[in-house]
Amino acid sequence: MRQGDPLSPYLFVACMERLPQLIEASCIEGKWKAIPITWGGSRLSHLMFADDVVLLGEATKEQAHAIKACLQEFCMASGQKVSMAKSSVYFSRNTNEGVKAEISAILGFQQTTDFGRYLGIPSINGRVSSSLFQNVMARGDYECSKLLERS
């Protein structure tokens, strides 16, 4: 199959489905500890959209090794590679600097304090304020006015 083939997006999605399976297996084995969303509720280990993946776990060396093992197994099985230049690791404010450095070294990812924007929406690392979404609202108003003009 060549790049640009109409089937390539489907093949990509089929290959990417293996990563969540590996993560789930690691969670079931107790190696990967997903982040609780609510007290005593569901836990979150990853988010995926198109070719973007966000992996979530505790800030420990053991978790870093579990994440790295899943990524390595996925890469070996799929032939895909993690883009180290596009990958980074984000830590909560209360994570010890030494632990941050160790985890970054294990994963081989640079640390970041801000993920910037994703699909035009700011990635929020703190309190939400209306000013964060002013450009989104302005763009929405613009799009609505364009739709009204057409009708």
Side-chain angles (χ1 to χ4, degrees):
M1 184 176 294
R2 296 178 189 266
Q3 186 173 355
D5 188 293
L7 289 177
S8 65
Y10 300 106
L11 183 59
F12 176 78
V13 169
C15 286
M16 286 303 293
E17 190 55 37
R18 183 66 180 131
L19 183 57
Q21 292 171 349
L22 292 169
I23 293 169
E24 182 66 24
S26 187
C27 288
I28 290 169
E29 293 171 6
K31 295 176 183 174
W32 187 314
K33 292 183 177 66
I35 302 298
I37 299 172
T38 60
W39 293 105
S42 298
R43 300 174 79 77
L44 190 61
S45 59
H46 65 284
L47 298 168
M48 298 175 75
F49 180 76
D51 61 347
D52 291 325
V53 179
V54 176
L55 304 174
L56 302 133
E58 293 178 350
T60 65
K61 291 189 291 184
E62 294 77 22
Q63 288 296 285
H65 285 294
I67 290 169
K68 186 172 185 171
C70 281
L71 290 174
Q72 286 175 331
E73 187 173 344
F74 171 73
C75 289
M76 291 293 294
S78 69
Q80 305 258 354
K81 292 184 180 179
V82 175
S83 173
M84 302 309 269
K86 294 180 181 179
S87 300
S88 58
V89 61
Y90 174 83
F91 296 97
S92 66
R93 281 177 265 175
N94 61 346
T95 307
N96 175 291
E97 290 299 322
V99 172
K100 288 179 183 181
E102 288 177 327
I103 291 171
S104 294
I106 291 166
L107 295 173
F109 301 156
Q110 291 184 340
Q111 293 180 41
T112 187
T113 56
D114 182 16
F115 282 120
R117 295 182 175 274
Y118 184 72
L119 299 176
I121 305 296
S123 299
I124 302 164
N125 302 334
R127 289 188 170 251
V128 177
S129 67
S130 59
S131 64
L132 279 173
F133 293 97
Q134 287 296 19
N135 69 330
V136 176
M137 296 300 292
R139 193 171 60 224
D141 289 343
Y142 173 77
E143 294 297 326
C144 286
S145 67
K146 285 294 198 187
L147 287 173
L148 291 173
E149 285 175 12
R150 291 184 202 158
S151 54

